Amino acid sequence: MNKQGSDPRPVPVALQAMAGVTIAMESPLSSDLDLLFARHVQAMHADTPPESIHMLPRQDLVSPLIDFLVLRAEGAPVGMGALKRIAPDHGEIKSMHILSEQRGEGHARRLLQALIDQAKARDYRRVSLETGTQDSFGPARVLYARAGFTECAPFAGYAPDPNSVFMTSEV
């Protein structure tokens, strides 16, 4: 079990086991996540201007305000996502990424649902996110819309950005 900040309630580990797939809270500093982080950084810099990249550095994902989830297929890390508390009842999805060769298997949908389940366990009423406007982010925007996220104004200190789409959902 994991505890967040001064919240004394244990948080259930978001864990799913389906056809060799597990999702669980882990440390973002685990060395077997190096490829996942390298690919995430590469993807963010591929077609987004540096001033519009809002991903957190890996070491900043180690925080009592952040739950970091890893999706593993047959034991190998193939996806990650983080849920950051931005208000007592509001979380933000950060650093969600699935390895390109593992896409199309439903992993992103599973990971997003685990993040939403974690938000519910934290008693958040709302979850928001920032994603890109570029074509490479199109599948992510579709995924979020299908999960009930709708576009919203910038939140939690974000400023309007022509390269950003802000989305939110009640949970």
Side-chain angles (χ1 to χ4, degrees):
M1 295 294 189
N2 184 21
K3 292 186 179 181
Q4 177 181 357
S6 61
D7 186 352
R9 295 171 299 149
V11 176
V13 173
L15 180 62
Q16 298 181 12
M18 172 184 257
V21 174
T22 61
I23 302 172
M25 282 197 278
E26 296 187 24
S27 170
L29 302 180
S30 178
S31 62
D32 75 340
L33 302 178
D34 291 350
L35 175 64
L36 202 50
F37 275 99
R39 294 273 192 86
H40 182 54
V41 170
Q42 180 183 31
M44 293 302 99
H45 287 272
D47 61 0
T48 304
E51 66 275 10
S52 295
I53 297 174
H54 301 290
M55 82 182 159
L56 291 174
R58 186 175 182 176
Q59 63 274 13
D60 290 357
L61 292 168
V62 179
S63 166
L65 299 177
I66 296 175
D67 293 329
F68 184 79
L69 303 181
V70 175
L71 183 144
R72 292 178 179 271
E74 304 300 330
V78 300
M80 65 181 182
L83 179 67
K84 179 181 179 184
R85 184 177 70 200
I86 56 176
D89 64 348
H90 191 180
E92 178 185 6
I93 293 175
K94 300 292 291 182
S95 297
M96 191 165 152
H97 186 84
I98 304 293
L99 292 177
S100 58
E101 61 271 23
Q102 293 288 326
R103 293 180 186 161
E105 303 292 323
H107 295 322
R109 181 181 39 79
R110 287 183 194 98
L111 183 57
L112 178 59
Q113 187 58 56
L115 290 163
I116 292 168
D117 291 347
Q118 190 65 20
K120 290 176 183 177
R122 290 278 183 210
D123 293 326
Y124 296 159
R125 291 189 333 211
R126 176 168 300 284
V127 176
S128 301
L129 59 91
E130 178 276 336
T131 191
T133 60
Q134 300 84 345
D135 290 344
S136 61
F137 292 96
R141 292 191 306 271
V142 169
L143 171 74
Y144 299 136
R146 285 183 179 159
F149 285 80
T150 57
E151 288 191 31
C152 65
F155 59 91
Y158 286 105
D161 183 331
N163 295 295
S164 291
V165 175
F166 302 94
M167 302 180 84
T168 194
S169 178
E170 291 184 16
V171 295

